[in-house]
Amino acid sequence: MSRFVRSSKYRHVFGTAAKRDQCYDNLRVTNNAWDSNIVKANPLFISVNWNSSGGGAFVVIPHDTVGKLPDNYPLYRGHTAAVLDTDFHPFNDYVIASGAEDSKVMIWNIPEKYEEEQEEIAPVLKLSGHGRKVGHVLFHPTANNVLASASTDLTIKLWDIEKGQERQEITGHGEIIQSMAYNYNGSLMATTCRDKKLRIFDLRSNKIIQEGAGHQGIKGSRVVWLGENDRICTTGFSRMSDRQLNLWDTSDLSKPIKSEFLDTSSGVLMPFYDLDTKMLYLAGKGDGNIRYYEYENDEMFFLSSYQSPEPQRGMAFLPKRAVNVSECEVVRAYKVTSSMVEPISFKVPRKSDAFQSDIYPPAFGDEPSLTADEWFSGKDADPKTISLEDGFQVKAKQEFVTSAPEESSVSAEPSAVASKSAASRSMSSDEGIAKLRQENDDLKSTISEKDVKIRNLELELEKMRNALAEANLAKKVASTPSPAPKEEEATSDAAAGAAAAAADEEKQEEGVVSSNSVSGNAEDVELPHNSNSLTE
């Protein structure tokens, strides 16, 4: 792909960020690690995945509600886990779909104006069928009320949301689906997958008509269809973790037509293609810049880039029918930062105030070409287009009504009945909360009783272990003779011998003393030598 800028009427396209007071501030943007764009936009609203506790939520903000968002702004609650992706209905600006980690797809009616003290919006339809979390939702470009949802159960389901029915399931992926894109009339779908394969499906027959090796890096890959052409573009990473942009022929995915090295950054590239100007915009997560190219004759000609010091976490582009043609605005992007959504307007510099028909060909309109039944029966039709010369015209709100069974949907009603149903839902919600609290208290008391019983059993077991140890010790002592008596006997014999020796010594000493006494007396008194002497 050439890096040289050739002569083009879009050569000097430039991007201008809105001032801070024209941005959407004080947003609690989700911190979920799932690879999605986080934000979506239609001619009237933008939606942002919300960082919510106690279940998943997202917020829908009208375009004119700029500045700092109130802390108690109404949230769209209904999912029991984090919301991963949303998408606006292309033919009804007041309807939005969402997919979440709870494996559910939900459809919501957007009110024209939020009531005072309104805290949350309830879904009108819940669609169950996926076995794991739903990571992507995408409406069909030509058929009314047809929605595709991609899940980590490795399937894509096609829903008729008016009837609340699953009409088709797409299988054939070996790993998690990373992105999907319809062709011009919605008969085919291109997908990228974590198994590093690029596939093209015939949606109604569930057949893979083309398959090839995509980007070989381990990080996320994205795909976008280049309008009416049989060409697609993918962004991803090489084996060396370099970011790449590839151009493919949909009739042969064995190798790309063109492959361009971009840089060595680590953020996933989000591609957006403007069919009317044939310009491709690349916005990298964690980058502050947006590159844009012009596609012509199987070449991607680099035009320029929008530079910003603030990195983006996600991005969405406004449908072409809602751009400001009086200022020669060709596209408008909505950039998500940590707590704000910033509009960025891309314009072609022109001096004339007249309508510039060369840069505004007929754009996609807001009227479907087919019904859901017609499309599922096998019909195809190109999208209906409208002229932008008169500017964007707001249509009257069409309330979305589903014929799905009551257990899976909440029908839209007139305002009076809606308020009653809201009150009944509030009462049932309060009753449900009270019941859950009672069950929680009962469980806590049961657990406490079980803990006490377990502790008593542990003490009894400890006593039994001690008693058994003492019994074993006593048995061992009784069976083994003790050396203590022999030692005592020897000690007593030695003592007796010592006592006898002492007695003998005393006797001997007494004998000596007595003999000495006698000899002394003899010396003092001289006895006569015979009896005559005595008589004398």
Side-chain angles (χ1 to χ4, degrees), residues 9 128 156 223 283 299 352 411 415 536:
K9 55 189 173 184
S128 301
I156 297 175
V223 62
E299 291 283 350
S352 174
S411 299
S415 58
E536 292 177 353

Side-chain angles (χ1 to χ4, degrees), residues 96-111:
I96 188 171
S98 63
E101 288 185 347
D102 60 2
S103 75
K104 299 288 192 300
V105 177
M106 297 188 184
I107 310 299
W108 315 72
N109 267 324
I110 304 172

